[in-house]
Amino acid sequence: MWQLVESEFEPERNLNQETLLALGNGYIGMRGTFEEGAGSGMRSVEGTYLNGFYESDPIRYGEKFQGYPDVGQTMLNVANAKVVRLYVDGELMRWENGRFLSHARTFDMRHGLLRRELRWQSSSGKEVAVESERLVLHAHKHLALIRYTVTPLNFSGNIVLYSGIDGQAKNLSSDDDPRLGAGFDEDVLQFRDRSITAETAILHQQTKTTGFHVVCGIHNKMEGERPFTAQPLVDDEYRLGHRFAIDAAQGEAVTLVKTIAYATSRDIDEAELMAVVQGELAKGTAVGYQALKTEQADFMADFWYHADVVIKGDDQLQLGLRFNMFHLLQSVGRDGHTNIAAKGLTGQGYEGHTFWDTEIYILPFFLYTNPAISRKLLEYRYHILDKARQRARQMAHPVGALFPWRTIGGEECSAYYLAGTAQYHINADVAFAIKRYYDATQDAEFMQQFGAEILFETARLWLNVGHYNSDQFHIDAVTGPDEYTALVNNNAYTNLMAAENLRFAAHIADWLQQEYPHTYQTLAEKIALTPEETSAWAQAAAQMFVPYDEERQLLAQDDSFLQKAVWDFANTPADHYPLLLHYHPLVLYRYQVCKQADAVLAEFLLHDQFDLAQKKRDYDYYEPLTTHDSSLSACIFGIMAAEVGYPDKAYRYFIDTAIADLDNKKGNTKDGIHAANMAGAWLSIAFGFGGMRVGDGLIFNPVIPAHWESYSFRVQYQGRLIEVTVTQEASTYKLLDGDPLEVQIAGAGKWVM
Amino acid sequence: MWQLVESEFEPERNLNQETLLALGNGYIGMRGTFEEGAGSGMRSVEGTYLNGFYESDPIRYGEKFQGYPDVGQTMLNVANAKVVRLYVDGELMRWENGRFLSHARTFDMRHGLLRRELRWQSSSGKEVAVESERLVLHAHKHLALIRYTVTPLNFSGNIVLYSGIDGQAKNLSSDDDPRLGAGFDEDVLQFRDRSITAETAILHQQTKTTGFHVVCGIHNKMEGERPFTAQPLVDDEYRLGHRFAIDAAQGEAVTLVKTIAYATSRDIDEAELMAVVQGELAKGTAVGYQALKTEQADFMADFWYHADVVIKGDDQLQLGLRFNMFHLLQSVGRDGHTNIAAKGLTGQGYEGHTFWDTEIYILPFFLYTNPAISRKLLEYRYHILDKARQRARQMAHPVGALFPWRTIGGEECSAYYLAGTAQYHINADVAFAIKRYYDATQDAEFMQQFGAEILFETARLWLNVGHYNSDQFHIDAVTGPDEYTALVNNNAYTNLMAAENLRFAAHIADWLQQEYPHTYQTLAEKIALTPEETSAWAQAAAQMFVPYDEERQLLAQDDSFLQKAVWDFANTPADHYPLLLHYHPLVLYRYQVCKQADAVLAEFLLHDQFDLAQKKRDYDYYEPLTTHDSSLSACIFGIMAAEVGYPDKAYRYFIDTAIADLDNKKGNTKDGIHAANMAGAWLSIAFGFGGMRVGDGLIFNPVIPAHWESYSFRVQYQGRLIEVTVTQEASTYKLLDGDPLEVQIAGAGKWVM
């Protein structure tokens, strides 16, 4: 189960398929569109995205207040370099012309490519076989490839291929769905320069507002024995490429190899962009298509060696899991300056923004399968730390840093602060990820260079946000993870995670002072840190107030949640979900109804602060109140269902998670994948069924769904590679690499392996 | 002290003066601009407004959710009919030309007019005296008048007068201040028709989006002995009028009488608008300037007979009070279909919207001085009741009505729901005003025709908004009057006022059933009212939860207010007020800091539910937390200061209230008067110093500031006109009209007068 195969084309599912069949390498993302473009009348988003490349637009407010972000950031659909068009007798091979005799697309996750095979009959009765392969190269962030092969089946004669760039890219928008975001006109990318030679075509464009530069280049090379003529073409400021008129022969394949390169001024000096793209194209053509394809397969083999999860006994879930992990790899920025968007590089939902999804959902997947990538995600936070400091000042905090709820470049872009800036827990989420990362890697160099400073600045903010009420530390007027409850006092998740932030910051301050006193001193001077502050962190953590209903013995989501009326689920029509699209926020806020895991999430992350009975009571209380209208919810409830003893529920939540995009369960996969949910599928295996926890070392407490034969997953931890295999009879733990390690197996105590 | 006199012109104060010197009659409002227009470089808003006439514009949201209003409504600056221009030797008499030898404007509140007297020397040395009078006629809602007299002082020869209409009106806007609102381009009013004759000029325009029609007409007539030629002129689609070339003689006055009429399709059929305006002009010219001026003076005399407050010993306050009452009269709609905007008809602040300001602040002034007008204000609510029902459905309430937080035409226009739609107390405020009105007028006919239906529909909503928690009725997720605290549970003001709404609705349901069973039945059928509902109202009122801090013996503003940290007032720079312009709402919401009276307001309105000690404790607690950044605050604190025994504070708050606009204390009088605050000045006299309360009849408990000789005010109540006079020695109560009435005098028991 390594391939997603589309054997029939259903035009009404096109937008959805474009997302599913998207390719990427963490820098370039290309939706799974056809080389020739969508058929007329077919809905399509010809999306190509570059991680970290965005345009800004003023955010309009009915009423605007102090501290509201002035401008948003939107991941931009850039020049489309996938364009290859085949003409037979002047007729374009496309959906609305002639007849497709067969159609198949194979999304090959083992080798990291998309293959397309078809037979097409022109209106004049001429038949061709077309095979194309597309790769976005993991090992070369600027490069992508298309190999396009045409074979005349029942004729000999002229065919024409056009291969070019279309720089007139338009961004989608929606008036109805707040999750989609801003649109831009077709001229958002403005012409700056171009170059065209016999085999290459390069287009240099610039955004209007941010002034970012982007250069897209292609190299076109015909292969095969047949004679052809080639003609460079410039249509207008947006379109250029090469036209090949080929004297084709029946049964003889002709092949176009198209090398594609993108680079932007976000990481390369503007003056060098054209040269860099030319160099990348030259490198790509010099190495050659086959060698690059092999390199890609090698890269993928290494990825799967560390990340693969094997489920025996459920092929669809097996496919779903691999699909999810593959898309995560394709979406994640790996240069320390880019991150992973909520929708990856596959669509424009949420405008390409990065949220807490990264730290709480996605990062653990990479941390335990590819820790180097998880470090890069944390470095991203370090690189936007100055902007987070500025944001804290805008929010009237004289010290500390406040990370943006949603952003690309580091500035807060949330236009609805109640489910945005008010979610101060983002700070604690980042700190929590640093703690997790440090625990799993013992990367003291990272901690000195990046981690400690983030921990200190986030801890500082909590002291300024909260206050002591009697001898308890309160945090008022925030929004927790559950966005159907906003602007509350003492959200349990926030307070618990803030305490963890404060505690760990104080701990690292001590550690740094002892182990690396010079580093500590330099940092303390840089940020004017006093010893009083670090001890105040420990104190606030120790005295953190956590709302609790003594009578019902429940962790309260916040001070007032449990006093509200319970939402009338019985009288809510099925088509009124997700509720946020059908009810004014005020209506939702008035009731006990949760969009997603909140208190329950805190009990997953901070697992050793709650006993099993408490977790079960809270699970039983909050689960019926939760709509899972957020894709961040099902995986958490599934993991906790496994822990508190509901294996059937765990399994159902896992299905919802694992095939959410494959089955378009949220109805908006067209706008892009749900990256956090995809990572949630891996979390569901490791933390859910595998019962993995990290306390004083690794802990496993596995369960297995009744109809599975077995499952296995691998974990990188403190320099080891461990394989966990669970069958109906037993669980086995294998050290594949590294020094012996003690792990704790539930019911079996501690074992060294 | 009946006149506001401007004896020197300060161009930098022009915007402010335009507001102060505005004239109106509750339908037409004209800012106090010069007939010839502002001087070049001088800031000016050439504002003419018609009550209830607005344009709509889409409200833009960064993120838009279900139930958000799609469009706003903005009171429109309509065609300017005040234009009169004087030319001497072709030179326009205006600020930047020639030289003004003298300048004076008199805002005559006793007679209801604005007089202007000046001497101007042209660049060629010719001197003229100009005197103009301007009236907007209270007795003729469509009519206004200008009399413009020119006398050559040192020459004889030609002068030119142009008198016209300028239909190219532009609406102000501001990007920085959320209180100002939407702007429109100059073409918001589009040409439809015009007519011009020897003496009249009429312009018919239409708004682009709402499609409302407005017709502005003028009639120009020259008086005096000097020969002249008249020429009708049409400049373009916006501008038309008459040019008079006059053979003037030294020392001989020539006078232009300009009659102005406005009418709109908001209350007159579109097809008849031109004819109606022609008819109004004909009527105005037939009656004649002097007769209309006398009629205006009579109208004002009657108004002052009932409304005037006399303060002996403080001239500035005396002037301020009259100024306030005069502007309230000028601003208030009196046709049952229009209301009073927060800024009256004097400027574009708050977009011409009506708020709860009407019911809680302004209506009592009219109720006790001119009850017929207060009834019209309540009829307005009845006429938008269907829209309030629709709004309730949008907010997911299957029954009841929810009045808009801000509106002109009846639709919710609040773009920031936390300080808008969330202020559900608007419903209780309307109900409270009905209760007050009914108590003071015993108007059973109103109650049957309008009042009961509003009471029932608002009471219904509370039952749907709130819920029982154990045996107490809770109302969650609302915002109370204090807009520096939002989205809270059990706001004390809201819950107390909702209980009053429920109780009175239940009482009126009983009364109607007994006294007018047929009316009751018809209404119950119309709105499908059941006996179970009305008893549920009484029950919810009886079991209404009111948050109270037992330890400190304080009425809590809401469930969590008293647990928050107190705002750091000591470290807040003086220039950071009003706080809303300097801090993100989240920052404000995190602290105990109030924009305005909230719990204290409830204790004023529902005075007999709290004993004096409670009121004093709450006053002492909340006053230091309150910034009075809202103009609705000072008057309430002043009134309560008088009650709880702080006469000095009462006096200081009264000054802040009484001369707030005259002294531009809020810094934004340029955008219009603060109508609620103006009414608050009257409330400060009657309810504050006079200690008037309405319980089981009228109650008085007067105090008098130390340096006042005396004050007196009049109250209409249940068909009586009562005069209260308070000196340092005694208070006297005089029945000026009506049957004997028992009143209660604090410390002196009940007296029949």
Side-chain angles (χ1 to χ4, degrees), chain A residues 59-68 178 391 395-397 406 414-418 421-422 424 464-465 467 469 474 476-477 486-487 489 560 563-565 580-587 589-591, chain B residues 59-68 178 391 395-397 406 414-418 421-422 424 464-465 467 469 474 476-477 486-487 489 560 563-565 580-587 589-591:
Chain A
I59 305 179
R60 315 245 188 170
Y61 301 94
E63 292 185 48
K64 185 178 177 187
F65 293 95
Q66 176 63 25
Y68 276 26
R391 180 62 181 156
M395 295 301 293
H397 303 296
R406 53 191 297 176
S414 169
Y416 178 64
Y417 74 84
L418 287 180
T421 299
Y424 270 63
N464 192 261
V465 176
H467 67 106
N469 190 348
H474 282 219
D476 293 334
L487 201 62
N489 303 328
S560 71
Q563 275 72 55
K564 291 180 182 171
L580 84 139
L581 297 186
H582 297 90
Y583 296 92
H584 191 288
L586 266 181
V587 182
Y589 298 165
R590 204 183 300 132
Y591 292 97
Chain B
I59 304 179
R60 314 245 188 172
Y61 302 93
E63 292 185 47
K64 185 178 177 186
F65 293 95
Q66 176 65 26
Y68 275 26
R391 180 62 182 157
M395 294 301 294
H397 303 294
R406 54 191 295 175
S414 169
Y416 178 63
Y417 74 82
L418 286 179
T421 299
Y424 270 61
N464 191 262
V465 176
H467 67 107
N469 189 349
H474 282 219
D476 292 335
L487 200 63
N489 304 326
S560 71
Q563 275 73 55
K564 292 181 181 170
L580 84 138
L581 297 185
H582 298 90
Y583 297 92
H584 190 290
L586 266 180
V587 182
Y589 298 165
R590 203 183 300 132
Y591 293 96

Side-chain angles (χ1 to χ4, degrees), chain A residues 53-105:
Chain A
F53 188 80
Y54 62 87
E55 176 63 320
S56 284
D57 57 318
I59 305 179
R60 315 245 188 170
Y61 301 94
E63 292 185 48
K64 185 178 177 187
F65 293 95
Q66 176 63 25
Y68 276 26
D70 292 319
V71 295
Q73 298 174 348
T74 299
M75 181 174 79
L76 216 48
N77 183 8
V78 299
N80 174 21
K82 296 188 298 288
V83 178
V84 180
R85 292 200 205 99
L86 166 65
Y87 298 86
V88 175
D89 293 341
E91 185 180 33
L92 172 63
M93 182 202 82
R94 208 163 68 176
W95 178 249
E96 66 271 36
N97 300 328
R99 195 154 68 95
F100 282 81
L101 305 174
S102 70
H103 165 96
R105 285 194 287 183

Side-chain angles (χ1 to χ4, degrees), chain B residues 75 97 107 109 153 292 468 487 507 564 578 654 681 720 747:
Chain B
M75 181 174 79
N97 300 328
F107 192 63
M109 299 181 280
L153 295 178
L292 289 169
Y468 282 96
L487 200 63
H507 166 73
K564 292 181 181 170
F654 176 64
R720 282 81 165 182

Side-chain angles (χ1 to χ4, degrees), chain A residues 234-249:
Chain A
V234 175
D235 287 357
D236 55 31
E237 288 199 336
Y238 294 108
R239 275 160 283 260
L240 68 171
H242 300 90
R243 181 180 181 279
F244 300 94
I246 305 151
D247 181 14

